[in-house]
């Protein structure tokens, strides 16, 4: 199974951009890159996903390296509500049941 | 869209008892997933349904665990003869199954099980 590597924790100041890295050097051509986040005492929440091209939505941006072996989740202006554990996950096209969560990155946002 | 709901939210039981959890997915979602999450860890995949068919089970799902989705709508997860090691958050998720752009899973709030 293709695996992801993320830092255990990161800190950010409120209203500043945050770049959360993820390494996935064994990614295959059909693996989508998904990001979910989990706020305290809640289930995981979808953030964004992509295959090859960079992606933007109202929550965040996803920058995917040209060789697809790494990606970065970008929160443009961190708020206190963005404090959560962020998971980078690979899922197979047409086989989304194969999502394997790691330990994720715990993001702390300082006021 | 009422989201994925789970019941109960919390369950405390004694070792050896049986427990059953319920998950109601987003209506018309074909796929339903169960995960288990222990403190400080990410969710671990347990099992997956496509409509009423259980298509995949993790080796984490011992023979004390059984899951059903009888009419392709809600699902139940039963744990028989609970052990203290079963204490965890049990998460349910659903997705539409319209693959092609990477299905998005929508998670419920979870059921926290404590086995005394």
């Amino acid at each position: 199974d293709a695996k992801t590597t993320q830092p255990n924790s990161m800190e950010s100041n409120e209203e500043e951009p945050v770049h959360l890295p993820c390494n996935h050097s064994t990614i295959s051509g059909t693996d989508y890159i998904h990001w979910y986040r989990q706020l305290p005492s809640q289930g995981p929440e979808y953030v964004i996903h992509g295959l090859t091209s960079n992606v933007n939505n109202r929550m965040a941006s996803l920058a995917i390296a040209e060789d697809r072996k790494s990606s970065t989740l970008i929160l443009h202006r961190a708020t206190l509500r963005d404090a959560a554990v962020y998971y980078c996950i690979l899922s197979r096209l047409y086989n989304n049941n194969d999502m394997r969560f790691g330990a994720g990155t715990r993001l702390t946002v300082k006021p | 869209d009422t989201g994925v709901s789970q019941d109960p939210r919390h369950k405390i039981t004694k070792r050896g008892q049986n427990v059953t959890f319920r998950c109601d997915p987003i209506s018309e979602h074909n796929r339903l997933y169960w995960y288990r999450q222990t403190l400080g860890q990410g969710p671990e995949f347990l099992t997956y349904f496509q409509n009423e068919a259980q298509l995949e089970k993790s080796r984490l799902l011992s023979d004390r665990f059984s899951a059903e989705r009888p009419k392709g709508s809600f699902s139940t997860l039963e744990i028989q003869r609970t052990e203290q090691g079963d204490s965890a958050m049990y998460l349910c998720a659903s997705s539409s199954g319209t693959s092609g752009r990477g299905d998005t899973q929508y998670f419920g709030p979870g059921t926290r099980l404590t086995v005394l």
Side-chain angles (χ1 to χ4, degrees), chain A residues 64-92:
Chain A
I64 301 172
E66 199 167 330
D67 63 5
R68 302 209 326 126
K69 292 185 176 181
S70 66
S71 61
T72 302
L73 179 70
I74 303 165
L75 306 179
H76 296 285
R77 290 183 62 195
T79 69
L80 296 178
R81 294 184 68 240
D82 291 323
V85 178
Y86 286 78
Y87 298 101
C88 169
I89 306 151
L90 303 181
S91 74
R92 295 281 159 82

Side-chain angles (χ1 to χ4, degrees), chain A residues 24-105:
Chain A
H24 28 79
S25 58
T26 59
I27 192 170
S28 74
T30 56
D31 284 340
Y32 271 88
I33 302 159
H34 291 252
W35 283 82
Y36 283 75
R37 71 180 185 180
Q38 189 169 22
L39 280 64
S41 302
Q42 295 188 25
E45 172 189 34
Y46 168 79
V47 178
I48 200 166
H49 76 277
L51 185 60
T52 56
S53 303
N54 295 343
V55 184
N56 299 296
N57 67 20
R58 63 176 181 82
M59 289 182 70
S61 295
L62 176 60
I64 301 172
E66 199 167 330
D67 63 5
R68 302 209 326 126
K69 292 185 176 181
S70 66
S71 61
T72 302
L73 179 70
I74 303 165
L75 306 179
H76 296 285
R77 290 183 62 195
T79 69
L80 296 178
R81 294 184 68 240
D82 291 323
V85 178
Y86 286 78
Y87 298 101
C88 169
I89 306 151
L90 303 181
S91 74
R92 295 281 159 82
L93 183 64
Y94 302 116
N95 189 24
N96 185 244
N97 47 300
D98 197 20
M99 290 180 68
R100 312 290 170 173
F101 287 75
T105 297

Side-chain angles (χ1 to χ4, degrees), chain B residues 29-74:
Chain B
H29 272 191
N30 296 324
R31 297 183 175 183
L32 187 146
Y33 312 79
W34 285 98
Y35 293 83
R36 181 177 70 184
Q37 185 174 26
T38 53
L39 203 60
Q41 302 299 315
E44 297 172 291
F45 170 79
L46 291 179
T47 190
Y48 150 68
F49 290 85
Q50 173 83 28
N51 298 313
E52 67 275 8
Q54 188 174 16
L55 296 185
E56 186 174 349
K57 292 194 290 186
S58 162
R59 62 181 180 276
L60 294 174
L61 212 67
S62 75
D63 55 7
R64 296 185 297 106
F65 288 71
S66 62
E68 293 182 341
R69 193 182 183 198
K71 296 183 180 179
S73 56
F74 73 92

Side-chain angles (χ1 to χ4, degrees), chain B residues 18-30:
Chain B
N18 299 342
V19 294
T20 300
F21 311 140
R22 177 181 170 122
C23 170
D24 286 90
I26 294 172
S27 59
E28 299 180 356
H29 272 191
N30 296 324

